[in-house]
């Protein structure tokens, strides 16, 4: 058994992580089961290979930065009115969800296997997005406003935040020749699928943020190949024509910045106002992780807010409300470290992996994270850490030329 695990652990972990990508959004129970198997396999492999595990300095730096963030958040879990709830929530959101990155950074060293997982991610996102478009066309299982969530009973906002993460990363993979040909082709498939998915999902946030990312990333690569500008122009004209011919989409896009009559926008504003007061009342360590909803409904909910929202719809405000300024400093410090580390490496080498890390962090945590609580989304944050782990490991492999 020991020799078999040592020999095959990398392949087993690759398969399990790929399976979790394909199942975690459609079935939380199955996704959690596979996730548990990933962690179990990681622990067993760590035990059997404990004498040969060597963690590079670059990975240790990421680990220490994350531990520093945890230490900033931990006091809010230990100093609360309900320690049982806050400690459980702290472990679930801040510790358990990130563990999926560990097997990638420790045991999946082969670039081929990393590209295989990345390919699965792109293919899955393309299929998931197309399923949302099909739902929209068929009028099947639609949410409020006729919006589609993809897969069988997928979350609308869950799909939207993943589209905002995956679209720019697929665009980088499609443009950059550092990626293998098959990965670039699958990224192109994913891009077309996600364009249809954005049509069916109707998330104004994904439209706006992917539009901005799409233009900036294309401009970055147009100096390498002028054809990419032509691709951008064709896409802009095509999407513009499709939207302008549908008055319902025009109206929804125009409502993006409507803060006077749009109910969705107003609901967020009301919650953010409540967050401001909650932070002022609990400035240092917040109300405690996992206690936001209870505290909000009992003491801070405004009469105007009729949607009874369950979280802040903003990563920074949610973290500041639950873990105080101390927790927010930890989160921003960790994010700043990751961004600066990748920026320095990218300026030196212009590699697509550091670019993907920067774009992924900004898109998922700070762009879509400005209108929804992406840090606490179970399936979304796991996908996020998987992709970030892949990019970190590919960057290390590139520096050491590991195939």
């Amino acid at each position: 058994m020991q020799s078999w695990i040592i020999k095959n652990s990398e392949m087993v972990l690759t398969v399990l992580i790929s399976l979790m990508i394909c199942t975690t959004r459609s079935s939380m129970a199955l996704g959690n089961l596979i996730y548990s198997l990933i962690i179990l396999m990681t622990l067993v492999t760590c035990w059997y290979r404990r004498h040969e595990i060597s963690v590079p300095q670059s990975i240790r730096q990421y680990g220490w930065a994350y531990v520093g963030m945890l230490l900033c958040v931990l006091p809010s879990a230990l100093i609360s009115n309900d320690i049982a709830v806050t400690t459980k929530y702290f472990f679930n959101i801040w510790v358990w969800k990130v563990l999926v990155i560990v097997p990638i950074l420790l045991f999946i060293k082969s670039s081929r296997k990393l590209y295989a997982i990345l390919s699965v991610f792109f293919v899955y996102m393309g299929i998931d997005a197309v399923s949302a478009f099909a739902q929209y066309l068929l009028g099947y299982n639609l949410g409020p406003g006729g919006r589609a969530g993809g897969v069988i009973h997928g979350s609308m906002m869950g799909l939207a935040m993943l589209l905002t993460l995956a679209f720019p990363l697929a665009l980088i993979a499609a443009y950059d020749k550092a990626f293998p040909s098959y990965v670039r082709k699958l990224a192109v498939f994913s891009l077309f699928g996600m364009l249809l998915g954005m049509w069916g999902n109707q998330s104004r946030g994904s439209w706006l943020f992917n539009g901005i990312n799409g233009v900036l990333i294309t401009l970055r690569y147009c100096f390498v190949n002028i054809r990419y500008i032509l691709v951008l122009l064709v896409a802009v004209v095509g999407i513009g024509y499709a939207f302008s011919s549908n008055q319902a989409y025009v109206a929804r896009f125009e409502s993006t910045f409507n803060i006077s009559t749009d109910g969705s926008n107003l609901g967020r504003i009301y919650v953010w106002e409540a967050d401001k007061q909650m932070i002022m009342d609990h400035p240092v360590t917040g109300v405690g992780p996992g206690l936001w909803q209870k505290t909000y409904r009992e003491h801070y909910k405004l009469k105007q807010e009729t949607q009874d929202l369950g979280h802040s719809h903003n990563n920074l405000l949610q973290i500041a409300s639950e873990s105080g300024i101390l927790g927010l400093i930890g989160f921003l410090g960790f994010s700043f470290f990751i961004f600066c580390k990748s920026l320095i490496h990218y300026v030196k080498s212009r590699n697509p992996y550091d670019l993907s890390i920067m774009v992924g962090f900004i898109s998922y945590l700070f762009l879509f994270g400005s209108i929804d609580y992406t840090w606490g989304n179970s399936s979304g944050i796991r996908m996020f850490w998987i992709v970030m782990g892949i990019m970190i490991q590919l960057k290390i492999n590139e520096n050491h030329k590991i195939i």
Side-chain angles (χ1 to χ4, degrees), residues 389-402:
I390 290 171
M391 295 304 172
I392 292 172
Q393 190 63 264
L394 285 172
K395 175 181 68 172
I396 294 173
N397 288 357
E398 176 70 17
N399 293 336
H400 297 86
K401 301 300 179 183
I402 297 175

Side-chain angles (χ1 to χ4, degrees), residues 36 42 78 91 166 273 380:
S36 299
T42 301
L78 300 179
F91 176 78
E273 290 178 359

Side-chain angles (χ1 to χ4, degrees), residues 69-89:
M69 178 175 64
L70 292 184
L71 292 177
C72 289
V73 176
L74 184 58
S76 65
L78 300 179
I79 307 172
S80 72
N81 295 327
D82 194 339
I83 295 179
V85 171
T86 54
T87 52
K88 179 181 179 181
Y89 187 89

